[in-house]
Amino acid sequence: MGWEEKQVRGYSEFVRTAQSCHGRPIFALFCGDKDAEGKSWCPDCVTAEPVVRKELHNMPDGSVFIYCLVGDRAYWKDPNNEFRKNLKLTGVPTLLKYGTPQKLVEEECFKAELVRMLFTED
Amino acid sequence: EAAKYEKKVLVLDFVKPTPLGNSWGLGGTCVNVGCIPKKLMHQAALLGQALQDARKFGWQFTEEVNHNWMTMTESVQNYIGSLNWGYRVALREKSVTYENAYGEFVGPHTVKTTNKRGVEKLYTAERFLIATGERPRYLGIPGDKEYCISSDDLFSLPYCPGKTLVVGASYVALECAGFLAGLGLDVTVMVRSILLRGFDQDIANKIGEYMKEHGVKFIREFVPIKVEQIEEGTPGILKVTAKSAKGDEIIEGEYHTVLLAIGRDSCTRNIGLDKVGVKINEKTGKIPVNDEEQTNVPYIYAVGDILQDKLELTPVAIQAGRLLVRRLYAGATNKCDYVNVPTTVFTPLEYGACGYSEEAAMEKFGEENIEVYHSHFWPLEWTVPSRDNNKCYAKIICNIQDNERVIGFHVLGPNAGEVTQGFAAAMKCGMTKEQLDNTIGIHPVCAEV
């Protein structure tokens, strides 16, 4: 059955998508917006994305991978943005397993071993 | 710590499910079914009390405030889950291999691991450290494993325990009884003989009195002999039959939940210690070690609750483990100091202690050589809501022959743990009564007494 990817932008779209996949393992990668050339304002996100993508095949069958762009730099820096308030995100990039306390933040996302552990952890 | 010194390390952690099927993640007892959830639930109960006091300080709310067990338990378990995950990440970042598998010795320098799917692997190593801890003891009476729960089950119980009978008078029993009552539940404690064996008995009795006055029922000098299920459910209804410890009297009672807290047994019996010749105390299961945490087999070490004659406390185990590794791989010489280790019991009225109890001091030094200074005190925060004015208590025990050095410190009152920590450091420096007297107090706090 494999896994599938959904790309979303902004908090409401993220929540709607996550809710529609209720019952399946959901992993989400949150990154800063990309410009016209496809480059993010967040340099750590640029480093982390390929590392994470390389490990996606380790996710359990039936998983959903949500790739979520959070917004521009100004939105992210606002301490009251919805991602910080509701999902308790503290930084980008963040890779998490939705509905559990398991997550990797910033430089932790650069490490293939940690990413693999998150995807395969029981 | 060992990975810091570039050693190749393998950690084996496996939780045998409780009789009711409960299990948990990486981190040991303290994190999963001990100190952490206990303190959080104790805090939940304290907050309930604070809500009662709040009205006297001017907060106006008319609704009756109720407690939701599921909300509290979910938050607590969520936090524990983040700790389990944090440890997984930390181990991986330091290149420590972790296996969720049951380890046992099968021969010299060799362990066999079995994971929950039954897959076996063999590993060899230069040195081994055993830190398998303990699990709650059961009574050995009909119905105990089928119907009773232990602290292993309580902190993740998926339903409110309701009317509860706590069997035991250990700190685990009293702390649990304390916060369950604080959350508004009907709680009874069944005690075979004394409260808090090993702790200062003068204080133990004060703790019991306080709990009694605040709604916890005590049945003294009885032991359960049978537990039967009258009604199934979550919770159901259980009938407990108990016999007097002093005679033939039999009593019966009905409860929603029976929590056993009568002691903990070391997990040293089924890990193949006999195959490598590690001596254990056959009666208690504990492992005797020298003052460098080494067993009778030179390449096998042990730390934590399984050690014979050592304190069963998380920070002690952590310190012993760290120092051991530094001695082995970093040329350090410090040994773990087991003297003057402070502790706190988180009963509704908290008790912090460091050093000798009054009985132990009298036995060791002779009654005529010790001087006890004590005082009741009334926390300022308790005055306005008219809470008890003669329950909080502090005492120090001094050795007259040694410059009145403070050898025992005991405080019974709010935030006892926070208060005790600093005094423990002072005692390690050999504080005398005179030095204590010369230290000006902070006002208005409980610690100034």
Side-chain angles (χ1 to χ4, degrees):
Chain A
M1 211 205 133
W3 53 272
E4 67 172 298
E5 173 167 346
K6 293 188 192 285
Q7 301 205 347
V8 303
R9 195 178 171 282
Y11 182 74
S12 335
E13 213 190 320
F14 171 76
V15 172
R16 255 197 327 268
T17 310
Q19 279 170 353
S20 74
C21 302
H22 183 69
R24 300 162 66 184
I26 301 175
F27 296 92
L29 178 64
F30 298 92
C31 294
D33 276 3
K34 292 179 163 167
D35 62 20
E37 276 112 48
K39 189 139 173 267
S40 177
W41 54 259
C42 161
D44 285 349
C45 301
V46 173
T47 314
E49 196 180 327
V51 176
V52 171
R53 287 193 173 282
K54 242 175 105 190
E55 299 296 327
L56 289 177
H57 64 274
N58 286 311
M59 292 191 300
D61 267 353
S63 293
V64 179
F65 174 67
I66 303 182
Y67 180 77
C68 177
L69 294 178
V70 301
D72 62 24
R73 186 184 234 128
Y75 169 79
W76 182 250
K77 291 293 185 204
D78 171 13
N80 288 325
N81 77 53
E82 285 154 310
F83 289 100
R84 288 189 198 269
K85 257 183 31 194
N86 302 339
L87 281 177
K88 308 277 186 283
L89 294 196
T90 53
V92 279
T94 290
L95 176 68
L96 55 76
K97 186 170 179 180
Y98 191 65
T100 76
Q102 297 177 355
K103 64 179 183 178
L104 296 173
V105 182
E106 292 159 5
E107 311 86 56
E108 290 175 343
C109 300
F110 300 168
K111 302 186 180 147
E113 285 227 323
L114 292 182
V115 175
R116 201 176 313 140
M117 191 170 79
L118 181 75
F119 287 152
T120 56
E121 192 38 11
D122 232 342
Chain B
E1 188 75 18
K4 238 166 63 179
Y5 302 109
E6 286 169 22
K7 294 289 151 189
K8 214 166 133 214
V9 185
L10 168 67
V11 170
L12 301 175
D13 182 55
F14 190 80
V15 180
K16 276 216 176 111
T18 71
L20 297 171
N22 239 340
S23 181
W24 48 86
L26 180 62
T29 298
C30 173
V31 167
N32 292 288
V33 289
C35 328
I36 302 286
K38 175 265 298 283
K39 184 95 190 287
L40 290 172
M41 293 199 177
H42 170 69
Q43 174 68 358
L46 289 180
L47 288 171
Q49 174 74 64
L51 284 171
Q52 299 296 327
D53 292 349
R55 287 196 174 100
K56 297 269 177 57
F57 279 96
W59 291 100
Q60 297 176 317
F61 47 100
T62 48
E63 320 95 63
E64 269 317 296
V65 179
N66 295 314
H67 184 260
N68 183 314
W69 174 267
M70 291 311 307
T71 307
M72 172 184 72
T73 311
E74 263 176 53
S75 311
V76 170
Q77 287 302 317
N78 230 348
Y79 177 62
I80 293 175
S82 72
L83 290 179
N84 296 143
W85 175 248
Y87 293 128
R88 296 294 318 277
V89 172
L91 287 184
R92 190 49 81 87
E93 293 213 289
K94 299 223 157 61
S95 305
V96 173
T97 315
Y98 160 70
E99 283 215 7
N100 185 214
Y102 187 82
E104 48 191 317
F105 286 100
V106 289
H109 289 274
T110 314
V111 285
K112 174 176 82 165
T113 69
T114 313
N115 72 10
K116 66 179 176 215
R117 286 182 200 92
V119 177
E120 292 180 4
K121 284 199 234 188
L122 283 180
Y123 288 97
T124 59
E126 190 187 343
R127 291 198 177 91
F128 294 83
L129 176 63
I130 308 173
T132 44
E134 306 179 304
R135 295 296 292 271
R137 192 179 299 151
Y138 279 78
L139 281 166
I141 60 170
D144 65 351
K145 292 213 166 90
E146 299 92 306
Y147 307 122
C148 300
I149 64 168
S150 73
S151 58
D152 280 357
D153 307 293
L154 179 64
F155 301 109
S156 54
L157 206 61
Y159 53 84
C160 180
K163 180 174 173 195
T164 304
L165 174 69
V166 178
V167 182
S170 54
Y171 75 83
V172 174
L174 297 186
E175 286 176 343
C176 291
F179 74 70
L180 288 174
L183 298 176
L185 301 179
D186 179 338
V187 178
T188 307
V189 180
M190 186 176 285
V191 179
R192 186 189 56 188
S193 63
I194 61 171
L195 301 179
L196 296 174
R197 184 180 303 274
F199 287 86
D200 187 292
Q201 282 300 293
D202 169 32
I203 308 252
N205 288 323
K206 287 189 197 299
I207 293 177
E209 281 307 307
Y210 183 87
M211 287 174 70
K212 219 168 30 181
E213 281 173 27
H214 289 261
V216 177
K217 295 176 272 214
F218 281 84
I219 300 180
R220 308 285 302 243
E221 299 184 321
F222 272 85
V223 276
I225 53 173
K226 192 165 51 162
V227 178
E228 296 160 286
Q229 186 180 62
I230 308 217
E231 221 181 84
E232 259 187 71
T234 52
I237 303 189
L238 301 173
K239 181 165 112 179
V240 178
T241 311
K243 183 163 170 307
S244 166
K246 285 191 312 197
D248 288 325
E249 193 191 334
I250 303 268
I251 56 170
E252 293 179 348
E254 283 183 15
Y255 305 91
H256 287 126
T257 299
V258 177
L259 171 67
L260 299 181
I262 53 172
R264 293 173 68 78
D265 291 322
S266 297
C267 298
T268 50
R269 308 259 184 206
N270 296 317
I271 55 176
L273 290 181
D274 50 324
K275 303 234 170 48
V276 280
V278 173
K279 266 213 248 332
I280 66 172
N281 179 317
E282 278 306 322
K283 187 161 157 267
T284 63
K286 299 231 180 201
I287 305 185
V289 292
N290 62 17
D291 63 359
E292 299 192 335
E293 286 82 31
Q294 196 179 32
T295 68
N296 60 310
V297 178
Y299 65 89
I300 301 182
Y301 300 82
V303 289
D305 290 1
I306 52 175
L307 297 192
Q308 183 163 282
D309 298 328
K310 299 280 198 289
L311 295 158
E312 293 175 19
L313 295 167
T314 301
V316 172
I318 295 179
Q319 178 84 325
R322 283 213 178 108
L323 292 180
L324 170 66
V325 169
R326 284 182 207 158
R327 287 197 303 273
L328 290 177
Y329 302 120
T333 49
N334 308 44
K335 300 191 196 173
C336 188
D337 185 357
Y338 293 95
V339 170
N340 284 342
V341 175
T343 70
T344 297
V345 180
F346 293 95
T347 33
L349 191 56
E350 293 179 11
Y351 167 40
C354 185
Y356 289 91
S357 66
E358 201 170 328
E359 305 86 57
M362 289 203 285
E363 208 194 306
K364 173 119 191 203
F365 299 98
E367 193 174 340
E368 63 286 2
N369 292 320
I370 65 164
E371 188 71 57
V372 179
Y373 297 91
H374 67 148
S375 169
H376 280 103
F377 60 93
W378 198 21
L380 184 61
E381 296 85 345
W382 287 21
T383 55
V384 166
S386 304
R387 285 174 64 186
D388 303 306
N389 66 353
N390 63 346
K391 288 295 184 305
C392 295
Y393 181 70
K395 81 176 167 187
I396 57 164
I397 304 169
C398 304
N399 184 348
I400 302 178
Q401 297 184 313
D402 183 19
N403 259 344
E404 276 210 308
R405 197 160 314 275
V406 178
I407 56 170
F409 172 89
H410 303 266
V411 66
L412 187 61
N415 305 118
E418 309 290 359
V419 172
T420 306
Q421 185 71 85
F423 287 99
M427 282 172 69
K428 242 203 195 334
C429 298
M431 168 180 70
T432 61
K433 173 75 168 45
E434 192 182 341
Q435 288 171 318
L436 187 58
D437 288 343
N438 285 337
T439 310
I440 302 186
I442 305 174
H443 180 77
V445 295
C446 295
E448 65 180 307
V449 79

